[in-house]
Amino acid sequence: MPLRPYPKIFQVLVKTHTLTVFLALSNEASISEVKEQVLSAFGDDVFKGIQDVPRIMSLDDFVLSREVQDRASGTTSYEPLTDDQLLRDVVGSWAVLFIQFKDESGKMGPVKVTLPSLIDDDDDMPRSLPAGIDSTMEIDGALEESSVRKGKRKAMD
């Protein structure tokens, strides 16, 4: 079976803190081109009002990293990417890259990102019942009854 070719355009998500920058780039784009796009996004007016995110003024103020998960130990680490690497060589389409900011001495800081929860935290709120079901009725029987009545044709006895 032949290998599937890379898509010509990669969708790349760059995350830091609670922010995500969506980029559409050629699969042959280098990491330095991705960094230029991120720097351009951080220079936009939208980012001026955002608190708690360090300001970046040049490409030397941050590094892009990819997440590496060690399945044996269950730990996650971040591998810094070099400017000369190509996107297609280090990630796939819809990849998530993370920003590591550098301090004044040039030392990389940790990745600071808050990922949204996939589980709804509102367990206290009552769930709404489907239309036509009374809350005093037995739910299992009501759902079975409503599924039997669905459809265009009626069963002939």
Side-chain angles (χ1 to χ4, degrees):
M1 178 183 260
L3 293 174
R4 290 179 58 186
Y6 290 108
K8 292 182 180 180
I9 302 295
F10 275 9
Q11 307 299 323
V12 180
L13 287 73
V14 181
K15 294 182 170 282
T16 185
H17 294 74
T18 58
L19 303 173
T20 302
V21 177
F22 288 83
L23 301 173
L25 299 163
S26 166
N27 66 3
E28 296 184 7
S30 66
I31 296 300
S32 65
E33 292 176 51
V34 179
K35 287 178 67 174
E36 289 172 7
Q37 293 292 323
V38 171
L39 180 63
S40 173
F42 270 74
D44 198 60
D45 291 339
V46 175
F47 282 96
K48 292 190 183 354
I50 297 176
Q51 305 290 330
D52 301 330
V53 178
R55 299 285 170 231
I56 54 175
M57 300 300 170
S58 73
L59 297 174
D60 296 328
D61 292 344
F62 67 101
V63 173
L64 294 178
S65 301
R66 69 176 173 177
E67 185 177 44
V68 178
Q69 294 182 348
D70 183 11
R71 295 178 190 222
S73 65
T75 60
T76 300
S77 61
Y78 296 93
E79 174 187 345
L81 302 175
T82 60
D83 290 345
D84 60 342
Q85 290 177 302
L86 299 179
L87 273 178
R88 70 168 181 233
D89 295 337
V90 292
V91 295
S93 188
W94 290 101
V96 178
L97 299 178
F98 299 91
I99 297 176
Q100 287 184 276
F101 295 98
K102 292 182 180 178
D103 60 10
E104 296 80 25
S105 65
K107 184 179 176 186
M108 283 191 306
V111 170
K112 293 182 181 178
V113 67
T114 303
L115 299 175
S117 172
L118 298 176
I119 300 172
D120 191 12
D121 293 335
D122 297 333
D123 291 336
D124 302 356
M125 296 180 63
R127 296 179 188 215
S128 61
L129 296 174
I133 297 180
D134 185 11
S135 62
T136 59
M137 295 174 58
E138 183 179 312
I139 294 178
D140 292 337
L143 289 175
E144 285 179 20
E145 183 180 330
S146 66
S147 64
V148 171
R149 286 194 245 145
K150 289 185 178 179
K152 294 181 180 180
R153 298 184 189 143
K154 293 184 179 180
M156 303 297 278
D157 288 322

